[in-house]
């Protein structure tokens, strides 16, 4: 028996004995709890794939927005949900650093089970068009000339936007007045209205407003420029060398959800993220489809938790 035949035989036997989800799963709608207000990057991405995910799972997927305390309130609800595969958490990178800001009822390293990352995307540094700056360097010069005068909006203490902004201020050594709002959507509205002047939101939520002229984009937080805004430089190349912060969006389940259900849902998500229509839709919003297997994604989460705990202490947040 040659190696190829042995490999095929092994794969067939492994598949035969591999655990599988209950034959009837899912029998009812699956709740996708988003711990943020509608209109933010997490909410935008979830709704972009909702129909395809419903088709792949064979059951309705219902979005349930539960904002509050930078995502910790909604996340806590999922940790308390029945581990039957009918409640999942769809959240952002803030999941890995929220406990550094809040006394949470859960441990992000233990109380939820990572399923997979849906996508990753940079943020955009945007300002109200009336602010007299057209580049990151001009923004830095203005902030140094008038320390504390610029209001920097964010989506609440411990949110991804808050930490992304704090990292920018820390590395650029400028002072702004941090103004918290109840989510990414409200913080963006505040900057468009002129109530605040600066924000570093997700590219998916801010791109339409940049294109319409309601926000002015100064820099992108990724290592390379985004093809969606090729004339907008990275912050790294614009006066804050080394600044790179890419956000991500991912799916988690209550810790006790059986592995067969986790694998079943992961396989459904994986099919969705390979769908050409979904890939094009995500790319149009500046998001890269990911889809790591559960164990690989779990290892990533553990490393992120440790890394951000160190950085947050360093930034004295």
């Amino acid at each position: 028996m040659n190696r190829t035949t042995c490999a095929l035989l092994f794969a067939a036997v492994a598949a035969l004995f591999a655990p599988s989800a209950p034959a009837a799963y899912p029998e009812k709608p699956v709740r996708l709890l988003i711990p943020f207000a509608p209109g933010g990057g997490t909410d935008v991405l979830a709704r972009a794939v909702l129909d395809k995910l419903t088709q792949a799972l064979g059951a309705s997927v219902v979005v349930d927005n539960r904002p509050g305390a930078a995502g910790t309130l909604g996340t806590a609800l999922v940790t308390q949900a029945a581990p039957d595969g009918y409640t999942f958490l769809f959240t952002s990178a803030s999941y890995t650093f929220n406990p550094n800001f809040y006394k949470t009822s859960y441990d992000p390293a233990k109380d939820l089970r990572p399923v997979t990352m849906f996508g990753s995307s940079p943020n955009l540094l945007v300002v109200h068009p009336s602010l007299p700056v057209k580049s990151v360097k001009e923004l830095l010069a203005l902030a140094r000339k008038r320390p504390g005068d610029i209001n920097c909006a964010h989506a609440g203490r411990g949110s991804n936007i808050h930490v992304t902004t704090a990292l920018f201020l820390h590395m650029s050594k400028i002072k702004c007045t941090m103004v918290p709002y109840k989510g990414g959507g409200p913080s963006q509205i505040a900057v468009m209205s002129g109530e605040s002047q600066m924000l570093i939101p997700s590219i998916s939520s801010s791109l339409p407003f940049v294109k319409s002229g309601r926000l002015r984009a100064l820099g992108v937080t990724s290592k390379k420029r985004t093809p969606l805004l090729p004339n907008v430089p990275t912050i790294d190349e614009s006066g804050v060398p080394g600044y790179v912060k890419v956000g991500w969006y991912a799916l988690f389940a209550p810790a006790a959800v059986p592995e067969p259900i986790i694998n079943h849902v992961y396989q459904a998500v994986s099919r969705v993220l390979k769908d050409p229509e979904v890939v094009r839709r995500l790319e149009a919003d500046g998001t890269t489809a990911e889809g790591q297997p559960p164990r690989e994604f779990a290892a990533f989460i553990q490393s992120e938790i440790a890394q951000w705990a160190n950085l947050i202490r360093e930034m004295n947040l």
Side-chain angles (χ1 to χ4, degrees):
M1 187 179 295
N2 60 37
R3 289 185 179 181
T4 302
T5 303
C6 286
L8 291 172
L9 180 60
F10 179 80
V13 172
L16 182 64
F17 290 99
S20 59
Y25 177 84
E27 297 180 286
K28 59 182 181 180
V30 174
R31 179 171 64 147
L32 197 64
L33 191 146
I34 299 176
F36 306 112
T42 311
D43 184 71
V44 169
L45 176 57
R47 294 180 189 278
V49 300
L50 206 56
D51 290 343
K52 293 287 186 179
L53 190 56
T54 290
Q55 293 172 21
L57 274 178
S60 296
V61 179
V62 181
V63 167
D64 183 5
N65 292 89
R66 297 295 186 97
T72 59
L73 298 184
T75 299
L77 289 176
V78 178
T79 65
Q80 298 158 12
D84 55 7
Y86 290 99
T87 299
F88 289 86
L89 175 72
F90 190 78
T91 190
S92 73
S94 61
Y95 174 83
T96 58
F97 44 73
N98 274 340
N100 294 282
F101 297 92
Y102 296 90
K103 185 177 180 181
T104 60
S105 61
Y106 60 89
D107 182 343
K110 299 177 181 178
D111 296 333
L112 283 171
R113 190 167 184 171
V115 179
T116 190
M117 186 191 296
F118 263 70
S120 60
S121 67
N123 287 32
L124 280 179
L125 194 167
V126 299
V127 296
H128 188 273
S130 67
L131 197 69
V133 297
K134 293 186 178 180
S135 69
V136 172
K137 288 183 179 179
E138 289 182 1
L139 174 67
L140 298 180
L142 181 64
R144 286 166 183 151
K145 184 179 180 180
R146 294 160 40 189
D149 281 2
I150 298 174
N151 287 344
C152 300
H154 63 80
R157 184 170 177 262
S159 65
N160 187 50
I161 296 176
H162 175 217
V163 173
T164 299
T165 306
L167 184 62
F168 172 74
L169 299 180
H170 175 72
M171 293 184 67
S172 63
K173 296 180 173 58
I174 62 171
K175 291 183 179 180
C176 292
T177 299
M178 298 283 270
V179 183
Y181 292 88
K182 294 181 179 180
S187 65
Q188 203 152 236
I189 291 171
V191 176
M192 288 189 287
S193 69
E195 183 176 282
S196 288
Q197 293 80 48
M198 179 189 132
L199 179 68
I200 312 183
S202 65
I203 191 171
S204 59
S205 64
S206 58
L207 188 61
F209 304 113
V210 170
K211 290 184 174 180
S212 68
R214 299 184 69 185
L215 292 172
R216 177 184 294 148
L218 303 184
V220 62
T221 66
S222 50
K223 184 65 176 176
K224 297 180 179 179
R225 297 189 184 197
T226 171
L228 298 178
L229 295 168
N231 294 325
V232 176
T234 67
I235 295 174
D236 172 58
E237 68 179 290
S238 302
V240 191
Y243 180 89
V244 177
K245 174 69 172 72
V246 177
W248 48 262
Y249 309 97
L251 192 67
F252 295 81
V257 171
E259 187 169 350
I261 290 180
I262 295 293
N263 288 334
H264 182 80
V265 173
Y266 163 67
Q267 293 296 337
V269 172
S270 183
R271 291 194 297 274
V272 170
L273 294 178
K274 291 175 183 175
D275 185 299
E277 183 181 337
V278 170
V279 171
R280 285 193 297 270
R281 175 71 184 275
L282 296 186
E283 287 178 345
D285 286 336
T287 302
T288 301
E290 299 288 352
Q292 296 93 332
R295 288 187 182 180
E296 181 182 326
F297 180 52
F300 169 79
I301 290 298
Q302 295 295 335
S303 67
E304 284 283 285
I305 289 172
Q307 176 187 351
W308 281 107
N310 291 333
L311 277 171
I312 287 166
R313 280 195 297 269
E314 181 184 327
M315 292 188 288
N316 198 29
L317 294 180

